[in-house]
Short mmCIF file of all heavy atoms in Angstrom, two decimals:
data_model
loop_
_atom_site.label_atom_id
_atom_site.label_comp_id
_atom_site.label_asym_id
_atom_site.label_seq_id
_atom_site.Cartn_x
_atom_site.Cartn_y
_atom_site.Cartn_z
N ALA A 184 94.66 79.02 90.74
CA ALA A 184 93.78 78.80 91.82
C ALA A 184 94.67 78.30 93.02
O ALA A 184 95.75 77.79 92.83
CB ALA A 184 92.81 77.62 91.50
N GLY A 185 94.14 78.51 94.18
CA GLY A 185 94.96 78.17 95.39
C GLY A 185 95.88 79.16 95.97
O GLY A 185 96.56 78.89 96.97
N HIS A 186 95.98 80.31 95.34
CA HIS A 186 96.85 81.35 95.84
C HIS A 186 96.00 82.47 96.59
O HIS A 186 95.04 82.91 96.10
CB HIS A 186 97.61 82.02 94.67
CG HIS A 186 98.52 81.09 93.91
ND1 HIS A 186 99.71 80.73 94.44
CD2 HIS A 186 98.39 80.48 92.80
CE1 HIS A 186 100.32 79.85 93.70
NE2 HIS A 186 99.49 79.73 92.56
N LEU A 187 96.61 82.90 97.69
CA LEU A 187 95.97 83.98 98.48
C LEU A 187 96.38 85.32 97.86
O LEU A 187 97.61 85.53 97.76
CB LEU A 187 96.26 83.84 99.90
CG LEU A 187 95.79 84.98 100.90
CD1 LEU A 187 94.25 84.85 100.80
CD2 LEU A 187 96.30 84.83 102.21
N VAL A 188 95.49 86.17 97.61
CA VAL A 188 95.82 87.50 96.98
C VAL A 188 95.36 88.48 98.05
O VAL A 188 94.17 88.55 98.40
CB VAL A 188 94.96 87.78 95.69
CG1 VAL A 188 95.43 89.18 95.20
CG2 VAL A 188 95.49 86.80 94.65
N LEU A 189 96.40 89.25 98.52
CA LEU A 189 96.00 90.38 99.57
C LEU A 189 96.07 91.66 98.94
O LEU A 189 96.84 91.99 98.00
CB LEU A 189 97.01 90.30 100.64
CG LEU A 189 97.04 88.94 101.53
CD1 LEU A 189 98.25 88.98 102.41
CD2 LEU A 189 95.90 88.81 102.29
N PRO A 190 95.18 92.65 99.47
CA PRO A 190 95.16 93.98 98.89
C PRO A 190 96.60 94.63 99.46
O PRO A 190 97.15 94.15 100.38
CB PRO A 190 94.11 94.63 99.67
CG PRO A 190 93.68 93.85 100.73
CD PRO A 190 94.18 92.41 100.34
N LEU A 191 97.05 95.67 98.57
CA LEU A 191 98.39 96.22 98.96
C LEU A 191 98.25 97.32 99.99
O LEU A 191 98.41 98.46 99.74
CB LEU A 191 98.99 96.80 97.69
CG LEU A 191 99.33 95.69 96.58
CD1 LEU A 191 99.75 96.42 95.38
CD2 LEU A 191 100.34 94.82 97.15
N ILE A 192 97.73 96.92 101.22
CA ILE A 192 97.55 97.90 102.22
C ILE A 192 98.53 97.70 103.49
O ILE A 192 98.62 98.45 104.36
CB ILE A 192 96.16 97.83 102.82
CG1 ILE A 192 95.83 96.39 103.48
CG2 ILE A 192 95.09 98.08 101.74
CD1 ILE A 192 94.50 96.25 104.18
N TYR A 193 99.38 96.72 103.30
CA TYR A 193 100.27 96.37 104.38
C TYR A 193 101.75 96.94 104.07
O TYR A 193 102.13 96.72 102.84
CB TYR A 193 100.38 94.94 104.63
CG TYR A 193 99.06 94.36 105.15
CD1 TYR A 193 98.25 93.71 104.34
CD2 TYR A 193 98.59 94.69 106.50
CE1 TYR A 193 96.98 93.23 104.75
CE2 TYR A 193 97.32 94.25 106.86
CZ TYR A 193 96.55 93.48 106.11
OH TYR A 193 95.36 93.00 106.46
N ASP A 194 102.44 97.47 105.01
CA ASP A 194 103.81 97.92 104.78
C ASP A 194 104.81 96.73 104.85
O ASP A 194 105.86 96.83 104.30
CB ASP A 194 104.22 99.01 105.80
CG ASP A 194 103.37 100.18 105.83
OD1 ASP A 194 102.98 100.64 104.76
OD2 ASP A 194 102.87 100.64 106.86
N ASP A 195 104.37 95.71 105.68
CA ASP A 195 105.22 94.55 105.74
C ASP A 195 104.30 93.43 106.07
O ASP A 195 103.37 93.49 106.83
CB ASP A 195 106.31 94.77 106.83
CG ASP A 195 107.22 93.55 106.96
OD1 ASP A 195 107.69 93.12 105.90
OD2 ASP A 195 107.70 93.16 108.09
N LEU A 196 104.72 92.09 105.63
CA LEU A 196 104.01 90.98 105.94
C LEU A 196 105.03 89.85 106.20
O LEU A 196 105.94 89.65 105.36
CB LEU A 196 103.05 90.56 104.71
CG LEU A 196 102.33 89.28 104.87
CD1 LEU A 196 100.92 89.47 104.29
CD2 LEU A 196 102.93 88.10 104.46
N ASN A 197 105.01 89.31 107.31
CA ASN A 197 106.06 88.26 107.69
C ASN A 197 105.41 86.93 107.86
O ASN A 197 104.75 86.69 108.98
CB ASN A 197 106.77 88.78 108.97
CG ASN A 197 107.97 87.86 109.26
OD1 ASN A 197 107.95 86.61 108.95
ND2 ASN A 197 109.02 88.54 109.81
N GLU A 198 105.50 86.08 106.88
CA GLU A 198 104.88 84.72 106.91
C GLU A 198 105.97 83.63 107.43
O GLU A 198 105.61 82.41 107.39
CB GLU A 198 104.26 84.33 105.66
CG GLU A 198 105.24 83.94 104.56
CD GLU A 198 105.82 85.15 103.79
OE1 GLU A 198 105.69 86.23 104.22
OE2 GLU A 198 106.44 84.93 102.79
N THR A 199 107.10 84.05 107.90
CA THR A 199 108.09 83.04 108.30
C THR A 199 108.38 83.26 109.74
O THR A 199 108.16 82.38 110.58
CB THR A 199 109.31 83.07 107.46
OG1 THR A 199 109.89 84.44 107.41
CG2 THR A 199 109.06 82.75 106.00
N ASP A 200 109.20 84.31 110.03
CA ASP A 200 109.72 84.54 111.45
C ASP A 200 108.61 84.59 112.47
O ASP A 200 108.73 84.13 113.63
CB ASP A 200 110.65 85.80 111.56
CG ASP A 200 111.78 85.68 110.63
OD1 ASP A 200 112.24 84.64 110.41
OD2 ASP A 200 112.32 86.62 110.20
N TYR A 201 107.57 85.26 112.19
CA TYR A 201 106.52 85.48 113.19
C TYR A 201 105.27 84.66 112.87
O TYR A 201 104.14 84.97 113.36
CB TYR A 201 106.18 87.00 113.42
CG TYR A 201 107.15 87.65 114.18
CD1 TYR A 201 108.41 88.27 113.59
CD2 TYR A 201 107.00 87.89 115.54
CE1 TYR A 201 109.27 88.91 114.39
CE2 TYR A 201 107.92 88.53 116.27
CZ TYR A 201 109.03 89.05 115.67
OH TYR A 201 110.01 89.69 116.47
N ALA A 202 105.30 83.73 112.01
CA ALA A 202 104.22 82.92 111.52
C ALA A 202 103.81 81.88 112.76
O ALA A 202 104.79 81.53 113.45
CB ALA A 202 104.42 82.10 110.36
N TRP A 203 102.55 81.72 112.88
CA TRP A 203 102.08 80.88 114.00
C TRP A 203 100.74 80.24 113.69
O TRP A 203 99.78 80.92 113.45
CB TRP A 203 102.04 81.65 115.29
CG TRP A 203 101.53 80.99 116.45
CD1 TRP A 203 102.17 80.01 117.19
CD2 TRP A 203 100.22 81.12 117.15
NE1 TRP A 203 101.51 79.61 118.27
CE2 TRP A 203 100.16 80.24 118.19
CE3 TRP A 203 99.21 82.03 116.79
CZ2 TRP A 203 99.12 80.19 119.02
CZ3 TRP A 203 98.12 81.91 117.65
CH2 TRP A 203 98.04 81.04 118.72
N GLN A 204 100.75 78.90 113.53
CA GLN A 204 99.60 78.25 113.22
C GLN A 204 98.68 78.86 112.13
O GLN A 204 97.49 78.96 112.30
CB GLN A 204 98.75 78.03 114.47
CG GLN A 204 99.39 77.19 115.52
CD GLN A 204 98.60 76.91 116.83
OE1 GLN A 204 97.50 77.31 116.82
NE2 GLN A 204 99.16 76.27 117.76
N GLY A 205 99.38 79.18 111.04
CA GLY A 205 98.67 79.78 109.95
C GLY A 205 98.45 81.34 109.94
O GLY A 205 97.91 81.91 109.10
N TRP A 206 98.82 81.90 111.16
CA TRP A 206 98.70 83.42 111.16
C TRP A 206 100.06 84.04 110.71
O TRP A 206 101.11 83.55 111.06
CB TRP A 206 98.43 83.71 112.63
CG TRP A 206 97.02 83.51 113.06
CD1 TRP A 206 96.11 82.67 112.50
CD2 TRP A 206 96.33 84.09 114.31
NE1 TRP A 206 94.88 82.75 113.15
CE2 TRP A 206 95.00 83.60 114.24
CE3 TRP A 206 96.76 85.06 115.20
CZ2 TRP A 206 94.18 83.90 115.31
CZ3 TRP A 206 95.90 85.37 116.11
CH2 TRP A 206 94.51 84.85 116.16
N TRP A 207 99.85 85.12 110.07
CA TRP A 207 101.12 85.89 109.74
C TRP A 207 101.18 87.30 110.42
O TRP A 207 100.02 87.88 110.47
CB TRP A 207 101.07 86.13 108.18
CG TRP A 207 101.10 84.96 107.37
CD1 TRP A 207 101.39 83.59 107.74
CD2 TRP A 207 100.76 84.78 105.90
NE1 TRP A 207 101.21 82.76 106.70
CE2 TRP A 207 100.97 83.55 105.62
CE3 TRP A 207 100.37 85.69 105.01
CZ2 TRP A 207 100.65 82.95 104.31
CZ3 TRP A 207 100.17 85.34 103.83
CH2 TRP A 207 100.36 83.92 103.41
N ARG A 208 102.27 87.73 110.67
CA ARG A 208 102.36 89.12 111.31
C ARG A 208 102.27 90.12 110.20
O ARG A 208 103.12 89.90 109.20
CB ARG A 208 103.62 89.25 112.21
CG ARG A 208 103.61 90.58 112.90
CD ARG A 208 104.74 90.65 113.95
NE ARG A 208 105.91 91.22 113.42
CZ ARG A 208 106.78 91.75 114.17
NH1 ARG A 208 106.62 91.86 115.52
NH2 ARG A 208 107.90 92.29 113.66
N VAL A 209 101.68 91.27 110.33
CA VAL A 209 101.56 92.22 109.38
C VAL A 209 101.91 93.61 110.11
O VAL A 209 101.63 93.79 111.24
CB VAL A 209 100.24 92.38 108.67
CG1 VAL A 209 100.01 91.12 107.78
CG2 VAL A 209 99.18 92.58 109.64
N ARG A 210 102.47 94.54 109.33
CA ARG A 210 102.57 95.99 109.80
C ARG A 210 101.91 96.90 108.79
O ARG A 210 102.07 96.69 107.56
CB ARG A 210 104.06 96.28 109.85
CG ARG A 210 104.34 97.67 110.31
CD ARG A 210 105.86 97.88 110.64
NE ARG A 210 106.68 97.56 109.45
CZ ARG A 210 106.92 98.61 108.39
NH1 ARG A 210 106.41 99.73 108.42
NH2 ARG A 210 107.63 98.10 107.46
N ARG A 211 101.18 97.82 109.39
CA ARG A 211 100.55 98.85 108.60
C ARG A 211 100.54 100.07 109.35
O ARG A 211 100.06 100.22 110.49
CB ARG A 211 99.10 98.51 108.23
CG ARG A 211 98.39 99.48 107.40
CD ARG A 211 96.98 99.05 106.90
NE ARG A 211 96.16 99.00 108.04
CZ ARG A 211 95.17 98.04 108.19
NH1 ARG A 211 95.04 97.07 107.32
NH2 ARG A 211 94.40 98.13 109.28
N GLY A 212 101.10 101.12 108.67
CA GLY A 212 101.02 102.46 109.32
C GLY A 212 101.78 102.48 110.74
O GLY A 212 101.47 103.22 111.64
N GLY A 213 102.83 101.63 110.93
CA GLY A 213 103.59 101.68 112.17
C GLY A 213 103.01 100.73 113.22
O GLY A 213 103.67 100.49 114.32
N GLY A 214 101.98 100.13 112.92
CA GLY A 214 101.28 99.16 113.89
C GLY A 214 101.33 97.61 113.45
O GLY A 214 101.33 97.47 112.28
N TYR A 215 101.47 96.78 114.44
CA TYR A 215 101.66 95.41 114.13
C TYR A 215 100.35 94.65 114.51
O TYR A 215 99.69 94.99 115.39
CB TYR A 215 102.79 94.78 114.88
CG TYR A 215 104.10 95.21 114.40
CD1 TYR A 215 104.74 96.32 114.89
CD2 TYR A 215 104.78 94.66 113.31
CE1 TYR A 215 106.00 96.85 114.47
CE2 TYR A 215 105.99 95.00 112.83
CZ TYR A 215 106.61 96.20 113.48
OH TYR A 215 107.77 96.62 113.00
N GLY A 216 100.01 93.63 113.74
CA GLY A 216 98.96 92.69 114.01
C GLY A 216 99.27 91.36 113.36
O GLY A 216 100.20 91.06 112.90
N TYR A 217 98.10 90.60 113.25
CA TYR A 217 98.09 89.31 112.52
C TYR A 217 97.05 89.13 111.60
O TYR A 217 95.90 89.76 111.85
CB TYR A 217 98.15 88.18 113.60
CG TYR A 217 99.44 87.96 114.28
CD1 TYR A 217 99.86 88.60 115.43
CD2 TYR A 217 100.29 87.01 113.89
CE1 TYR A 217 101.06 88.44 116.02
CE2 TYR A 217 101.55 86.70 114.38
CZ TYR A 217 101.94 87.40 115.48
OH TYR A 217 103.02 87.26 116.08
N LEU A 218 97.23 88.31 110.54
CA LEU A 218 96.12 87.96 109.63
C LEU A 218 96.25 86.44 109.49
O LEU A 218 97.23 85.82 109.76
CB LEU A 218 96.09 88.74 108.40
CG LEU A 218 97.31 88.54 107.37
CD1 LEU A 218 97.20 87.21 106.58
CD2 LEU A 218 97.28 89.77 106.45
N ASP A 219 95.07 85.97 109.15
CA ASP A 219 94.93 84.54 108.87
C ASP A 219 95.58 84.21 107.45
O ASP A 219 95.09 84.77 106.52
CB ASP A 219 93.54 84.07 108.83
CG ASP A 219 93.39 82.52 108.63
OD1 ASP A 219 93.94 82.02 107.79
OD2 ASP A 219 92.49 81.95 109.49
N GLY A 220 96.66 83.43 107.36
CA GLY A 220 97.21 83.12 106.12
C GLY A 220 96.34 82.35 105.05
O GLY A 220 96.85 82.41 103.93
N GLN A 221 95.39 81.82 105.63
CA GLN A 221 94.53 81.08 104.64
C GLN A 221 93.40 81.94 103.94
O GLN A 221 93.14 81.79 102.80
CB GLN A 221 93.78 79.89 105.45
CG GLN A 221 94.83 78.82 105.92
CD GLN A 221 94.92 77.61 105.06
OE1 GLN A 221 94.06 77.29 104.38
NE2 GLN A 221 96.07 77.06 105.05
N THR A 222 92.86 82.83 104.84
CA THR A 222 91.78 83.52 104.31
C THR A 222 92.14 85.07 104.07
O THR A 222 91.42 85.67 103.33
CB THR A 222 90.60 83.62 105.48
OG1 THR A 222 91.15 84.36 106.60
CG2 THR A 222 90.12 82.27 105.76
N GLY A 223 93.18 85.56 104.66
CA GLY A 223 93.65 86.86 104.56
C GLY A 223 92.85 87.86 105.36
O GLY A 223 93.11 88.97 105.47
N ARG A 224 92.08 87.35 106.29
CA ARG A 224 91.29 88.16 107.20
C ARG A 224 92.14 88.58 108.32
O ARG A 224 92.89 87.76 108.96
CB ARG A 224 90.10 87.23 107.77
CG ARG A 224 89.11 87.93 108.73
CD ARG A 224 88.00 87.11 109.22
NE ARG A 224 88.45 85.96 109.93
CZ ARG A 224 88.68 85.99 111.19
NH1 ARG A 224 88.41 87.12 112.06
NH2 ARG A 224 89.06 84.95 111.90
N GLU A 225 92.03 89.83 108.82
CA GLU A 225 92.86 90.28 109.94
C GLU A 225 92.22 89.53 111.30
O GLU A 225 91.09 89.71 111.50
CB GLU A 225 92.78 91.78 110.08
CG GLU A 225 93.56 92.60 109.18
CD GLU A 225 93.66 94.02 109.31
OE1 GLU A 225 92.92 94.53 110.15
OE2 GLU A 225 94.29 94.59 108.52
N THR A 226 93.12 88.89 111.92
CA THR A 226 92.66 88.24 113.18
C THR A 226 92.92 89.22 114.40
O THR A 226 92.18 89.25 115.32
CB THR A 226 93.34 86.93 113.41
OG1 THR A 226 94.73 87.09 113.23
CG2 THR A 226 92.78 85.93 112.36
N ILE A 227 94.06 89.99 114.31
CA ILE A 227 94.36 90.93 115.29
C ILE A 227 94.76 92.16 114.53
O ILE A 227 95.75 92.22 113.77
CB ILE A 227 95.50 90.53 116.30
CG1 ILE A 227 95.00 89.30 117.05
CG2 ILE A 227 95.96 91.72 117.17
CD1 ILE A 227 96.16 88.73 117.94
N PRO A 228 93.92 93.24 114.60
CA PRO A 228 94.33 94.46 113.76
C PRO A 228 95.62 95.06 114.12
O PRO A 228 96.06 95.03 115.13
CB PRO A 228 93.19 95.58 114.22
CG PRO A 228 92.12 94.68 114.87
CD PRO A 228 92.86 93.51 115.45
N PRO A 229 96.30 95.53 112.98
CA PRO A 229 97.69 96.12 113.19
C PRO A 229 97.60 97.45 113.78
O PRO A 229 97.93 98.42 113.14
CB PRO A 229 98.15 96.13 111.80
CG PRO A 229 96.91 96.21 110.88
CD PRO A 229 95.86 95.60 111.66
N ARG A 230 97.46 97.51 115.15
CA ARG A 230 97.43 98.77 115.79
C ARG A 230 98.28 98.69 117.11
O ARG A 230 98.34 99.54 117.91
CB ARG A 230 95.96 99.02 116.19
CG ARG A 230 95.39 98.05 117.30
CD ARG A 230 93.96 98.47 117.74
NE ARG A 230 93.36 97.41 118.44
CZ ARG A 230 92.11 97.09 118.33
NH1 ARG A 230 91.37 97.52 117.35
NH2 ARG A 230 91.53 96.08 118.98
N TYR A 231 99.24 97.75 117.26
CA TYR A 231 100.12 97.54 118.22
C TYR A 231 101.51 97.98 117.95
O TYR A 231 102.01 97.69 116.91
CB TYR A 231 100.12 96.06 118.79
CG TYR A 231 98.62 95.75 119.36
CD1 TYR A 231 97.79 95.05 118.41
CD2 TYR A 231 98.17 96.15 120.58
CE1 TYR A 231 96.43 94.81 118.82
CE2 TYR A 231 96.90 95.86 120.91
CZ TYR A 231 96.03 95.23 120.03
OH TYR A 231 94.77 95.02 120.50
N ALA A 232 102.29 98.53 118.96
CA ALA A 232 103.62 98.90 118.72
C ALA A 232 104.55 97.75 118.52
O ALA A 232 105.53 97.93 117.89
CB ALA A 232 104.07 99.77 119.99
N ASP A 233 104.23 96.62 119.00
CA ASP A 233 105.07 95.41 118.76
C ASP A 233 104.28 94.18 119.05
O ASP A 233 103.14 94.24 119.74
CB ASP A 233 106.30 95.54 119.64
CG ASP A 233 107.48 94.63 119.19
OD1 ASP A 233 107.35 93.96 118.13
OD2 ASP A 233 108.44 94.68 119.84
N THR A 234 104.74 93.04 118.62
CA THR A 234 104.20 91.76 119.05
C THR A 234 105.25 90.75 119.18
O THR A 234 106.48 91.01 118.72
CB THR A 234 103.26 91.20 117.96
OG1 THR A 234 104.08 90.86 116.72
CG2 THR A 234 102.11 92.08 117.53
N ARG A 235 105.00 89.68 119.90
CA ARG A 235 105.95 88.62 120.08
C ARG A 235 105.29 87.36 119.61
O ARG A 235 104.04 87.25 119.47
CB ARG A 235 106.38 88.55 121.58
CG ARG A 235 107.19 89.53 122.12
CD ARG A 235 108.64 89.56 121.47
NE ARG A 235 109.51 90.59 121.94
CZ ARG A 235 109.76 91.67 121.34
NH1 ARG A 235 109.44 91.90 120.12
NH2 ARG A 235 110.64 92.52 121.81
N LEU A 236 106.14 86.27 119.28
CA LEU A 236 105.55 85.09 118.98
C LEU A 236 104.48 84.58 120.01
O LEU A 236 104.80 84.69 121.13
CB LEU A 236 106.74 83.99 118.86
CG LEU A 236 107.51 84.03 117.54
CD1 LEU A 236 108.63 83.12 117.58
CD2 LEU A 236 106.57 83.82 116.39
N PRO A 237 103.40 84.15 119.50
CA PRO A 237 102.39 83.60 120.54
C PRO A 237 102.93 82.40 121.36
O PRO A 237 103.83 81.69 120.79
CB PRO A 237 101.23 83.19 119.55
CG PRO A 237 101.40 84.05 118.36
CD PRO A 237 102.91 84.16 118.22
N VAL A 238 102.39 82.25 122.41
CA VAL A 238 102.64 81.08 123.38
C VAL A 238 101.28 80.41 123.68
O VAL A 238 100.52 81.11 124.28
CB VAL A 238 103.38 81.50 124.67
CG1 VAL A 238 103.58 80.45 125.60
CG2 VAL A 238 104.72 82.26 124.26
N GLY A 239 101.17 79.19 123.26
CA GLY A 239 99.83 78.53 123.47
C GLY A 239 98.82 79.36 122.67
O GLY A 239 99.03 79.63 121.53
N ASP A 240 97.68 79.76 123.36
CA ASP A 240 96.74 80.53 122.65
C ASP A 240 96.88 82.07 122.92
O ASP A 240 95.90 82.83 122.59
CB ASP A 240 95.31 80.02 123.18
CG ASP A 240 94.89 78.75 122.49
OD1 ASP A 240 95.40 78.51 121.42
OD2 ASP A 240 94.08 78.01 123.04
N LEU A 241 97.91 82.50 123.63
CA LEU A 241 98.12 83.91 123.89
C LEU A 241 99.00 84.56 122.96
O LEU A 241 100.14 84.16 122.58
CB LEU A 241 98.82 84.04 125.28
CG LEU A 241 97.89 83.51 126.48
CD1 LEU A 241 98.72 83.67 127.70
CD2 LEU A 241 96.58 84.18 126.49
N VAL A 242 98.56 85.68 122.38
CA VAL A 242 99.30 86.47 121.43
C VAL A 242 99.80 87.73 122.16
O VAL A 242 99.02 88.47 122.75
CB VAL A 242 98.56 86.92 120.25
CG1 VAL A 242 99.34 87.81 119.29
CG2 VAL A 242 97.98 85.74 119.48
N TRP A 243 101.10 87.95 122.37
CA TRP A 243 101.66 89.03 123.17
C TRP A 243 101.84 90.28 122.27
O TRP A 243 102.31 90.23 121.21
CB TRP A 243 102.97 88.56 123.72
CG TRP A 243 102.87 87.48 124.72
CD1 TRP A 243 102.96 86.19 124.50
CD2 TRP A 243 102.47 87.78 126.00
NE1 TRP A 243 102.72 85.49 125.64
CE2 TRP A 243 102.40 86.46 126.66
CE3 TRP A 243 102.14 88.80 126.89
CZ2 TRP A 243 101.99 86.19 128.01
CZ3 TRP A 243 101.85 88.55 128.17
CH2 TRP A 243 101.76 87.42 128.74
N VAL A 244 101.25 91.36 122.75
CA VAL A 244 101.25 92.69 122.11
C VAL A 244 101.79 93.74 123.01
O VAL A 244 101.53 93.61 124.18
CB VAL A 244 99.83 93.04 121.56
CG1 VAL A 244 99.37 91.92 120.50
CG2 VAL A 244 98.85 93.09 122.67
N LYS A 245 102.24 94.75 122.41
CA LYS A 245 102.75 95.98 123.20
C LYS A 245 101.90 97.18 122.74
O LYS A 245 101.77 97.46 121.59
CB LYS A 245 104.11 96.14 122.95
CG LYS A 245 104.76 97.30 123.90
CD LYS A 245 106.27 97.40 123.60
CE LYS A 245 106.90 98.36 124.56
NZ LYS A 245 108.32 98.49 124.28
N GLN A 246 101.38 97.90 123.71
CA GLN A 246 100.63 99.08 123.43
C GLN A 246 100.81 100.06 124.55
O GLN A 246 100.79 99.71 125.83
CB GLN A 246 99.16 98.84 123.33
CG GLN A 246 98.26 99.94 122.85
CD GLN A 246 96.81 99.50 122.58
OE1 GLN A 246 96.26 98.63 123.31
NE2 GLN A 246 96.23 100.04 121.55
N ASN A 247 101.09 101.32 124.29
CA ASN A 247 101.33 102.40 125.28
C ASN A 247 102.41 102.02 126.27
O ASN A 247 102.31 102.23 127.47
CB ASN A 247 100.10 102.71 126.09
CG ASN A 247 98.95 103.26 125.20
OD1 ASN A 247 99.20 103.91 124.22
ND2 ASN A 247 97.71 102.85 125.42
N GLY A 248 103.50 101.40 125.73
CA GLY A 248 104.63 101.01 126.55
C GLY A 248 104.45 99.83 127.43
O GLY A 248 105.35 99.54 128.13
N ARG A 249 103.38 99.16 127.35
CA ARG A 249 103.07 97.88 128.18
C ARG A 249 102.68 96.75 127.35
O ARG A 249 102.12 96.80 126.33
CB ARG A 249 101.84 98.31 129.08
CG ARG A 249 102.17 99.62 130.00
CD ARG A 249 101.01 99.91 130.97
NE ARG A 249 101.12 98.80 131.99
CZ ARG A 249 100.24 98.81 133.04
NH1 ARG A 249 99.45 99.84 133.17
NH2 ARG A 249 100.35 97.93 133.94
N TRP A 250 103.11 95.55 127.90
CA TRP A 250 102.85 94.39 127.20
C TRP A 250 101.58 93.70 127.84
O TRP A 250 101.27 93.83 128.91
CB TRP A 250 104.00 93.39 127.48
CG TRP A 250 105.11 93.66 126.57
CD1 TRP A 250 106.21 94.42 126.96
CD2 TRP A 250 105.33 93.23 125.26
NE1 TRP A 250 107.18 94.61 125.89
CE2 TRP A 250 106.57 93.94 124.85
CE3 TRP A 250 104.60 92.51 124.29
CZ2 TRP A 250 107.12 93.66 123.52
CZ3 TRP A 250 105.04 92.43 122.96
CH2 TRP A 250 106.29 92.99 122.64
N GLY A 251 100.86 93.11 126.98
CA GLY A 251 99.57 92.36 127.32
C GLY A 251 99.56 91.21 126.35
O GLY A 251 100.16 91.03 125.48
N ALA A 252 98.44 90.32 126.75
CA ALA A 252 98.26 89.20 125.88
C ALA A 252 96.76 89.12 125.38
O ALA A 252 95.87 89.55 126.15
CB ALA A 252 98.57 87.90 126.71
N ILE A 253 96.60 88.73 124.22
CA ILE A 253 95.26 88.57 123.69
C ILE A 253 95.13 87.00 123.53
O ILE A 253 95.97 86.33 122.89
CB ILE A 253 95.03 89.19 122.18
CG1 ILE A 253 95.25 90.68 122.49
CG2 ILE A 253 93.83 88.89 121.63
CD1 ILE A 253 95.32 91.35 121.07
N ASP A 254 94.00 86.53 124.04
CA ASP A 254 93.57 85.04 124.04
C ASP A 254 93.09 84.80 122.63
O ASP A 254 91.96 85.32 122.31
CB ASP A 254 92.68 84.68 125.14
CG ASP A 254 92.41 83.21 125.31
OD1 ASP A 254 92.78 82.46 124.27
OD2 ASP A 254 92.05 82.85 126.36
N ARG A 255 93.73 83.97 121.84
CA ARG A 255 93.22 83.81 120.52
C ARG A 255 92.05 82.68 120.46
O ARG A 255 91.44 82.60 119.45
CB ARG A 255 94.38 83.37 119.57
CG ARG A 255 94.61 81.96 119.39
CD ARG A 255 95.39 81.58 118.27
NE ARG A 255 94.69 80.71 117.42
CZ ARG A 255 95.12 80.26 116.26
NH1 ARG A 255 96.27 80.59 115.82
NH2 ARG A 255 94.52 79.36 115.62
N SER A 256 91.76 82.04 121.55
CA SER A 256 90.79 81.04 121.59
C SER A 256 89.36 81.51 121.66
O SER A 256 89.17 82.68 121.85
CB SER A 256 91.03 79.98 122.68
OG SER A 256 90.90 80.63 123.93
#
């Protein structure tokens, strides 16, 4: 008990370098996003070309060659 079990749908899961307040960065099919490390629920779908470490409540994502921010609050 107490272990999170995720389905084998992710190509990569990074719970250290890109971890932020319980969120883990994931990669699936070439896209990056985040999931909640406690529940396993995708918080930001893995459809972005790249992500950066969040700053405050902003999660930085790259799509179509442009950077933008998603407000996590």
Side-chain angles (χ1 to χ4, degrees):
H186 296 285
L187 178 63
V188 177
L189 297 171
L191 296 175
I192 61 172
Y193 298 105
D194 300 317
D195 187 42
L196 184 142
N197 189 324
E198 74 278 9
T199 55
D200 297 333
Y201 282 86
W203 177 72
Q204 295 184 2
W206 284 19
W207 301 346
R208 185 168 95 155
V209 294
R210 181 173 54 86
R211 181 175 68 218
Y215 292 92
Y217 280 87
L218 63 78
D219 184 312
Q221 297 262 330
T222 66
R224 184 179 63 87
E225 286 183 0
T226 52
I227 296 177
R230 63 176 172 228
Y231 298 97
D233 200 359
T234 65
R235 291 289 183 255
L236 281 173
V238 177
D240 283 337
L241 298 179
V242 179
W243 293 95
V244 296
K245 186 177 184 181
Q246 187 174 37
N247 299 323
R249 301 181 73 174
W250 285 96
I253 297 173
D254 189 341
R255 96 164 231 178
S256 60

